[in-house]
Amino acid sequence: MAPRNDKFDFDFIVIGSGFGGSVAALRLVEKGYRVAVMEMGRRWTPDSFPRTSWSIHRWFWRPRLGLRGFFNMRFFRHATIYHGCAVGGGSITYASTLLPAPEKVWDAGSWTGLAAWKAEMPRYYQTASRMLGVTQNKILGPADVLLQKAAEAAGHGQTFYRTSVGIFQPDEGVPGNKTFPDPFFGGDGPPRTTCTACGGCMMGCRYGAKSTLDLTYLYLAEKHGARVFPETKVMNVKPLAGVSDGSAGYEICTVKSTAWICRQPQHLICRGVVFSASSLGTMELLFRLKDNGSLPAISDRLGRHVRTNSESLIGARMPGCHEDFSQGIAIGSGIYIDEHTHVEAVRYPGGSDSMSLLTTIMTDGRPGVHRIGLWLKNVLGSLLFHPVKTVRLLRPWGWAREHVILLCMQAVEGHIEMRWERPWFWPFRKMLVSRGNKVPTYIPRANEFARKFAQVAGGTAMSTLPEILFDVPGTAHCIGGCVIAGSPDRGVVDDRHRVFGYRNMYICDGSVLGANLGVNPSLTITALAERAMSFIPLASATSWSDAA
Ligand SMILES: Cc1cc2nc3c(=O)[nH]c(=O)nc-3n(C[C@H](O)[C@H](O)[C@H](O)COP(=O)(O)OP(=O)(O)OC[C@H]3O[C@@H](n4cnc5c(N)ncnc54)[C@H](O)[C@@H]3O)c2cc1C
Ligand code: SF4
C-alpha cells in the first residue's frame, strides 16, 4: 500500500469508468494506490436494461430531461457523436467488437516516432485481449451470411472475416444462456453466462455474456479496493495549496449527476488525477478548467485533431423478408472493400426499432442542396409509384428484424477541431462547438457496395437522415482532441499519457489517439492505457513527481 497520508482522501482519482478509466483503476490499485473512480453514469445490472430502444428513458442519457439511460447522442455541425455513459463507460452499450489497429496507424499522426509502437503494442494488445476475453465470433447470423454473399458478388469475398469479440460464447451448435463460474480470471472474476445470439449487445446484455468493464477490469479493481462513485460528475479539478503544477496534489469537486435541485457537492483531495472521461468528456472538462483558470497550463492544442474514424452509417432494408436479421451478435462480421475501407454488418435486437426514425432511402451525389433535392425526388417518386413498398420501407415497426446497418470506416486522414465557445444559437454559456473542414459523409464505394448488398438480399439501400439533410456523418467512434505528441505545441500528453504542464496528471481514454484507426477503437484505447499504466511506479516507490 502507498504510505498512508491522511491529508489526502485518495492517492489517485480517475474521472470516468470507460476503457481507459477501468484499466487505470485496476492497474493503480494493483500497484498499491488508494483509488477512487468518479462516474457520472448509473450502475446497470442485466435485469435493469431496457427491453427495447423504445424505452427511451432507460436507454438515453439526458438527466436534465429525466432520461437516465446509458447511451447519448451529441449533435455538432461536423458530426453526430454517439457515446456511452455508465459505470463501465461505453462498454455497456458497445457492440464488443475488439480489433487491433493496423500497424500503419503508428506511422501516421502526432504519435509517429515517439515510441517503438510496432514493437511495444502487441504485448499490450495481448493483455487487453485476455482481460476482455476476446475470441473469434462463432455465431454467424443471417446478416453476416448476407454480408458474405454480397462481398462475394462484389468481388471482395476473400476479405470476409468473423469479428473478434469480447463475448462469452457457447461452443458452435450449443444453445446459450448457461452460467459458468468465472471462465476468465482463475476464479477472481464473476460467473458468466453464454451468449444467446439475441443481437441486443448495444441495448445492454441482459445475460452477462458480453465482456463489459463492470465484469472485467472494473470488477477486479473494486474487488481489490478501488471505490467507484456512480452518478457523480466531476465539475472542477484544481491544484492544491496554490502550487500551480499540481505537485502538492489536486482538489476534485463533484456533483450528483442525476439530481436536479439538491446536487450534493463534494470536495475530495488526491495526489494524482487520471482523466478518462472519453474523447468528448475529457475535452469538455479540460476546456472548462482551462477557461475558468483551474488548469490554465493545459496545451493550446486541446480540441485539435478530433477524428470520427471517417465513418458512414448506411445499410439495407428487406421488408417482408422471412429471415430475422436481428439475430446474431451486434457486429458479427466484416469485409474490406478496398485497402482503406472497412465495412461491418451491424444489428439491433428485435423490437428495438427507434433508430429507424433516422434512416431513409439512400441518395448519392455531392452533399448539399443538390443531394437534398435528389433525395426528396426519390422519396416522393417512390411514394407516388410504389406507395405500399415505400411505406413498408420507412415504417418504424419491424425495422430491427428487416434492416442491416453497414458501418463503414476508413483509415484515412481527416479531422475536425473542437472549441470552447458561445454558439450563436445559445450565447448564454460556452460549450463545445466543432470547427474545420467537413468530414466526407459520402463514400461512393461504400454506397455502391450497399446497393449490391440490397440487390443480393432483395431489399433497398438505406442511409441516414443527418448525413443526407445536413451533410453530417454519424460516428460511435469519436477519438482524439488531447492527442499524444512530443511537445505541448503539438499535443496535450506525452507518449506515457502525462499531461504537459502538470505533475501526476494523466489522460487514459480515446482522446489521446493520434490517428484514425479504421477499426473500432476500444481495444486500442485499452492497450494504450495498459501501456501508460505500466510506467507508473509502485506506490511504495513513488516520489509523486511524475511529469512529461
Ligand atoms: C452504440 C455504440 C457501439 C459501439 N461499439 C463499439 C465496438 O463494437 N467496438 C469498439 O471498439 N468500440 C465501440 N464503440 C465505441 C466505444 O464505446 C468507445 O470508443 C469507448 O467506450 C471509448 O472509451 P473511453 O475510455 O475513451 O471512454 P468511455 O468508455 O466513453 O467512458 C467515459 C466515461 O466517462 C464518463 N464521464 C464523462 N465525463 C465525466 C465527468 N465530468 N465526470 C464523471 N464521469 C464522466 C462517461 O459517463 C463515461 O462513462 C461503440 C460506441 C457506441 C455508442
Ligand atoms: S447477442 Fe445477446 S446474449 Fe450475446 S452478448 Fe449480445 S446481448 Fe448478450
Side-chain angles (χ1 to χ4, degrees), residues 114 297-299 483-495 497-503 505 547-548:
L114 296 181
I298 295 288
S299 160
V483 295
I484 293 173
S487 63
D489 54 348
R490 300 204 57 214
V492 177
V493 294
D494 75 351
D495 71 297
H497 301 215
R498 297 176 293 196
V499 177
F500 292 121
Y502 292 93
R503 284 182 187 269
M505 183 185 280

Side-chain angles (χ1 to χ4, degrees), residues 126 153 275 321 344 367:
Q126 218 169 37
F275 287 87
C321 180
E344 291 173 343

Side-chain angles (χ1 to χ4, degrees), residues 160-172:
F160 176 85
Y161 72 96
R162 292 168 182 245
T163 44
S164 293
V165 290
I167 291 180
F168 182 41
Q169 298 176 76
D171 288 333
E172 245 164 301

Side-chain angles (χ1 to χ4, degrees), residues 315-319 361-362 389 393 403 450-451 454-455 457-462:
R317 184 161 180 176
M318 286 61 73
I361 296 171
M362 178 175 276
K389 183 180 163 206
L393 203 57
H403 191 275
R451 287 187 202 290
Q455 188 196 348
T460 303
M462 305 291 283

Side-chain angles (χ1 to χ4, degrees), residues 223-400:
K223 194 166 175 183
H224 292 106
R227 277 191 62 196
V228 177
F229 293 73
E231 297 176 49
T232 303
K233 181 171 183 179
V234 172
M235 304 299 287
N236 205 0
V237 176
K238 59 182 178 203
L240 278 179
V243 182
S244 59
D245 69 354
S247 49
Y250 296 92
E251 182 187 23
I252 312 286
C253 308
T254 69
V255 294
K256 188 165 164 67
S257 60
T258 44
W260 274 338
I261 304 165
C262 183
R263 302 205 77 193
Q264 303 167 23
Q266 270 193 98
H267 300 266
L268 295 163
I269 56 172
C270 57
R271 309 255 6 203
V273 184
V274 184
F275 287 87
S276 297
S278 80
S279 171
L280 267 192
T282 294
M283 272 192 285
E284 197 156 41
L285 191 52
L286 288 182
F287 267 122
R288 187 180 310 127
L289 303 185
K290 187 171 165 67
D291 192 57
N292 72 9
S294 293
L295 298 177
I298 295 288
S299 160
D300 290 335
R301 303 301 288 180
L302 176 62
R304 305 286 181 90
H305 294 112
V306 178
R307 294 175 162 99
T308 62
N309 226 2
S310 293
E311 276 177 23
S312 169
L313 288 168
I314 47 182
R317 184 161 180 176
M318 286 61 73
C321 180
H322 65 278
E323 297 272 28
D324 178 356
F325 290 107
S326 69
Q327 291 294 302
I329 61 166
I331 303 182
S333 58
I335 60 161
Y336 284 84
I337 56 176
D338 63 35
E339 190 197 345
H340 303 294
T341 315
H342 178 197
V343 177
E344 291 173 343
V346 185
R347 72 222 74 189
Y348 273 92
S352 285
D353 300 326
S354 61
M355 276 291 190
S356 65
L357 303 175
L358 292 182
T359 58
T360 189
I361 296 171
M362 178 175 276
T363 305
D364 285 327
R366 251 184 323 117
V369 183
H370 176 74
R371 187 161 72 179
I372 297 173
L374 205 60
W375 167 74
L376 270 175
K377 195 172 136 211
N378 280 349
V379 175
L380 293 177
S382 183
L383 272 170
L384 194 65
F385 295 111
H386 311 284
V388 176
K389 183 180 163 206
T390 312
V391 169
R392 289 176 76 198
L393 203 57
L394 298 178
R395 67 183 174 176
W397 53 95
W399 177 83

